Amino acid sequence: MDVLPVVSRLSKFFQREDIDLSVIKSKVHVACSLLNDMCNNPGLMRHLSQFREECRDFTYKDIKLRSCGRNFDVGNLCQTYISKIVSNLHDRFPESDLDLLHCFDVMFNPLLAPADTTQLITYGNDQFDKLVNHFASRVDRDRATDSFLEYKYLLHCHRNLNFRQFCKLLLCHHREDFPDMCDLAVIALVIPVSSVPCERAFSCQNRIKTKLRNRLTVDHLSRLMKISLEGKVLKEFEFNRAVVNFNSAKERRKVMH
C-alpha cells in the first residue's frame, strides 16, 4: 500500500462539481483509517526495511539522497509522515463540520426521505435540532418547528429531485411558506465542499485579465467574471434588449460622426 493513491482518490472526490454530502464523512473516515493501517502493515514495513538496506550509501536507483544520519529510523519517519497527513485531514475536516454536512444532507436531500409517510414524524428531528442550534442567529426556532412536519411532507413529495434541485425549488416557490428552511438552504448551497468553482473562477480570471488587459479594476474584473460564469450563453443573449436597457439607463452624450 502507498500513501499517494489514498490521498489522490480523496482529492479527486472533492474535484467533482456536484458532491453528495452524505458520503463526505465516510470518504474522509475511510482515508484516515487506511492511512493509519499503513503504519501497522507488515508489507510496508518490509519495503521500508529493504529501502534502507539499498540506500546505505545514500544512493537509491542512481539518485543521490541527502544524508540525514547513519542511524535514521525509516519506520519512525513513515509513522510520523502518515500521522501528520491524518492530523491535517482532521484539521481540514473537523468532526463537528462533518456532522453538520450530514445534517444538511438529511434536511434537503429528498432521495433520503422515507418512502413511508408514517416515518416522517420522526425523520430528521435530531438533524433539525443540530442545525437550528448551530444557526440560532438565522433561524426562528418556534416558527421553524411549527412548519417542520409540513416541510417534511414537501420533501417527500419531491423524492425524484436531488439535493441541489430541491434547494432551488424551495427557494423559488416556497420562500414564504418555509422562510427558515430557505435560509438554511441558502447556506447549504454555498458550502465550499468542492474545489471545482474555485478552479473554474481562476481559469475564467486568467482568460479575462490578460497581459493586454492588466489595468482592469477589481470591480470591473468581478463583473466580467460573473457574466462569463453565470450569464446566458451567446445564442440566448438578447442583444436588442441589452442595447435598449443600456441607452435608457442614464442620459449619455451622443457622438457625432
Side-chain angles (χ1 to χ4, degrees):
M1 297 181 68
D2 191 7
V3 171
L4 186 58
V6 177
V7 178
S8 295
R9 284 194 295 270
L10 187 63
S11 176
K12 289 180 180 179
F13 169 75
F14 285 103
Q15 291 173 19
R16 299 176 184 174
E17 185 167 7
D18 193 6
I19 295 179
D20 186 352
L21 296 183
S22 64
V23 300
I24 291 179
K25 185 174 183 178
S26 61
K27 284 282 186 180
V28 174
H29 285 176
V30 167
C32 291
S33 297
L34 287 174
L35 292 171
N36 284 325
D37 289 344
M38 286 183 188
C39 295
N40 302 318
N41 187 296
L44 179 61
M45 292 300 108
R46 285 196 302 269
H47 177 74
L48 292 175
S49 299
Q50 182 182 358
F51 166 78
R52 181 179 180 181
E53 292 296 325
E54 293 179 0
C55 63
R56 285 185 175 277
D57 57 349
F58 296 98
T59 301
Y60 183 71
K61 294 185 178 180
D62 299 327
I63 299 176
K64 190 67 176 177
L65 305 178
R66 187 179 65 179
S67 174
C68 59
R70 290 287 177 179
N71 297 320
F72 70 96
D73 188 344
V74 179
N76 186 51
L77 288 175
C78 173
Q79 291 180 350
T80 302
Y81 175 65
I82 293 177
S83 297
K84 190 63 176 178
I85 294 177
V86 174
S87 177
N88 288 339
L89 286 176
H90 286 312
D91 291 340
R92 176 64 180 83
F93 303 100
E95 197 66 27
S96 57
D97 290 355
L98 293 177
D99 286 339
L100 284 178
L101 290 178
H102 173 67
C103 292
F104 275 119
D105 197 43
V106 171
M107 288 294 95
F108 298 103
N109 191 346
L111 299 176
L112 301 180
D116 186 357
T117 56
T118 60
Q119 299 178 13
L120 290 176
I121 297 177
T122 58
Y123 175 75
N125 290 346
D126 293 339
Q127 289 78 15
F128 173 80
D129 288 336
K130 287 183 180 180
L131 288 178
V132 170
N133 290 334
H134 189 82
F135 298 101
S137 61
R138 297 288 304 272
V139 177
D140 185 326
R141 169 179 281 276
D142 293 336
R143 183 176 60 185
T145 302
D146 290 342
S147 62
F148 185 47
L149 181 58
E150 181 183 355
Y151 168 80
K152 288 189 286 187
Y153 276 104
L154 176 69
L155 189 72
H156 175 271
C157 290
H158 295 283
R159 295 179 65 241
N160 60 317
L161 302 180
N162 61 28
F163 178 93
R164 191 169 297 274
Q165 290 170 337
F166 177 77
C167 285
K168 291 181 178 180
L169 179 141
L170 182 68
L171 293 171
C172 290
H173 303 290
H174 299 281
R175 185 176 288 275
E176 294 183 0
D177 300 326
F178 310 104
D180 300 293
M181 299 306 294
C182 285
D183 286 343
L184 292 176
V186 171
I187 297 173
L189 286 174
V190 298
I191 296 176
V193 294
S194 171
S195 62
V196 172
C198 180
E199 294 172 359
R200 182 182 292 122
F202 276 116
S203 298
C204 178
Q205 174 187 271
N206 293 335
R207 288 196 305 270
I208 295 174
K209 190 168 184 177
T210 63
K211 292 181 179 179
L212 298 178
R213 307 181 72 188
N214 59 7
R215 294 178 67 84
L216 283 173
T217 63
V218 174
D219 183 61
H220 195 177
L221 177 62
S222 177
R223 292 172 183 269
L224 291 175
M225 289 176 61
K226 188 172 182 179
I227 293 173
S228 177
L229 293 171
E230 302 179 11
K232 292 184 177 180
V233 297
L234 193 60
K235 293 181 179 180
E236 299 176 358
F237 188 76
E238 301 177 20
F239 289 95
N240 293 333
R241 182 179 177 184
V243 171
V244 172
N245 290 339
F246 180 78
N247 290 331
S248 62
K250 66 178 181 179
E251 186 178 351
R252 300 180 185 278
R253 184 176 62 183
K254 295 183 179 179
V255 180
M256 304 299 294
H257 295 284

